[in-house]
Amino acid sequence: MRKRLPFLFVSMLAIAACSQGSDNGTAAQQPAAPASTAAPAPAASAPAQQPAPAATAAAPAAASTAGDSAKAETPAPAAAPVPAGAAQTFVDDGKWVEGKNYFRIEPAQPKVSNTDKIEVTEVFSYGCPACNQFRPTMEKLVQELPAGTQVSYLPVSFNPAENFPMFQRAYYAAEALGVAAKAHEAIFKAVWDTRELTSSNAAGTGLRPSSDLPTIDDAAKVYAKFGADPKEFVAVANSFSINTKIKRADELVRTYGVESTPTMVIDGKYRFTAQSAGGYDQSIDLAKWLVAKEAAGK
């Protein structure tokens, strides 16, 4: 594991992924390979190519949870419905190499949602600086995916130092109350722009102590702007059903072989990161290619 770089340096340059497995529970920040596009360098994946043990213990997968909204309801830059991109004909011209650009999940695992559509999942955390930098890429991808594709989000908990477990719990509470999609962009902004939910200290020199990190009550205040009653939000967040969803999420993170965020998972069968794809724009191309591959039954 590489030595951790200063928090603000990494978040400003956005050249690192949030990785699990460091001794102190914080995310290791690893430099990414240069992208071939003019976009900033992609978030780095963890070095191992095979699934690694999860940093958080998880119970066996529970019954499938209700997934995120369908593609038309997925957060997008504009309030208008997300336009469907053109379906892509699958052509294997050797551009994308299994084991290098993307990795097969063996055996294939359940999808995040109950959909019978091809599912494109972002494994993420609101507290991850690389996920924050990946936002425009994810928004563009959502708009370019073909009709009949399901977009889902899988929040991780493997970095307690940057409050990942709280953000994971808040996401599932918001999903249960029907405000997760509407508030998706706002929660990122509350962490990285307005800093209402930031994990960094007031001086901007590092992280807050764990006792001073934003709580589920603080998150409830942000979600209240989108119609969630704060008291109900906190009660739902601490309910048995949300605990069950969290256990299932942690199990999926483990069985998908996720080692850093953001990671993209296609239909529970393939995973890749921006670095393995070669850049942010390439991530969009690879996701669409894997969707076409899955649609073609290849």
Side-chain angles (χ1 to χ4, degrees):
M1 180 60 67
R2 293 183 175 89
K3 186 176 181 181
R4 179 182 174 85
L5 298 177
F7 175 77
L8 288 183
F9 174 79
V10 174
S11 62
M12 288 175 65
L13 295 183
I15 59 172
C18 302
S19 305
Q20 61 175 314
S22 58
D23 293 338
N24 62 2
T26 61
Q29 310 294 347
Q30 302 179 13
S36 60
T37 68
S45 62
Q49 306 301 346
Q50 298 299 321
T56 45
S64 182
T65 63
D68 267 348
S69 56
K71 181 172 177 288
E73 299 171 350
T74 304
V82 176
Q88 177 176 319
T89 301
F90 176 70
V91 177
D92 191 356
D93 58 3
K95 177 180 179 180
W96 304 114
V97 179
E98 183 177 327
K100 176 184 177 182
N101 302 120
Y102 69 96
F103 306 94
R104 187 180 297 270
I105 299 170
E106 294 184 318
Q109 297 298 315
K111 301 175 186 181
V112 173
S113 65
N114 287 321
T115 186
D116 57 359
K117 301 175 182 178
I118 296 174
E119 183 183 67
V120 176
T121 298
E122 181 189 8
V123 186
F124 82 109
S125 175
Y126 291 117
C128 166
C131 296
N132 181 52
Q133 291 298 318
F134 192 70
R135 282 160 56 197
T137 300
M138 189 63 191
E139 290 170 354
K140 185 177 179 183
L141 172 60
V142 166
Q143 295 200 47
E144 294 187 12
L145 286 172
T149 306
Q150 171 86 15
V151 174
S152 297
Y153 296 89
L154 179 61
V156 302
S157 65
F158 56 64
N159 186 354
E162 292 179 20
N163 223 10
F164 285 17
M166 189 282 286
F167 288 120
Q168 182 193 57
R169 185 173 295 275
Y171 177 86
Y172 283 122
E175 183 184 67
L177 294 173
V179 297
K182 291 188 293 184
H184 190 65
E185 184 76 5
I187 302 303
F188 272 116
K189 289 181 178 179
V191 178
W192 302 103
D193 298 342
T194 66
R195 306 180 70 78
E196 299 164 77
L197 299 177
T198 184
S199 298
S200 62
N201 60 30
T205 57
L207 298 174
R208 296 183 183 185
S210 58
S211 60
D212 192 39
L213 289 173
T215 66
I216 201 71
D217 295 89
D218 296 320
K221 296 175 183 177
V222 179
Y223 281 106
K225 301 173 185 177
F226 297 87
D229 177 80
K231 290 184 179 180
E232 181 183 14
F233 185 92
V234 173
V236 170
N238 292 310
S239 67
F240 175 81
S241 63
I242 298 305
N243 288 339
T244 300
K245 287 187 176 184
I246 286 171
K247 288 179 180 179
R248 180 176 185 268
D250 289 342
E251 179 69 4
L252 283 177
V253 168
R254 184 186 70 80
T255 57
Y256 285 168
V258 173
E259 297 173 335
S260 64
T261 50
T263 289
M264 300 301 300
V265 175
I266 310 299
D267 235 24
K269 296 182 180 179
Y270 308 102
R271 74 175 187 277
F272 68 89
T273 65
Q275 183 176 6
S276 71
Y280 286 174
D281 288 345
Q282 291 90 332
S283 294
I284 295 174
D285 294 340
L286 177 53
K288 293 193 300 184
W289 184 83
L290 287 171
V291 167
K293 175 181 173 70
E294 186 69 2
K298 302 295 185 180

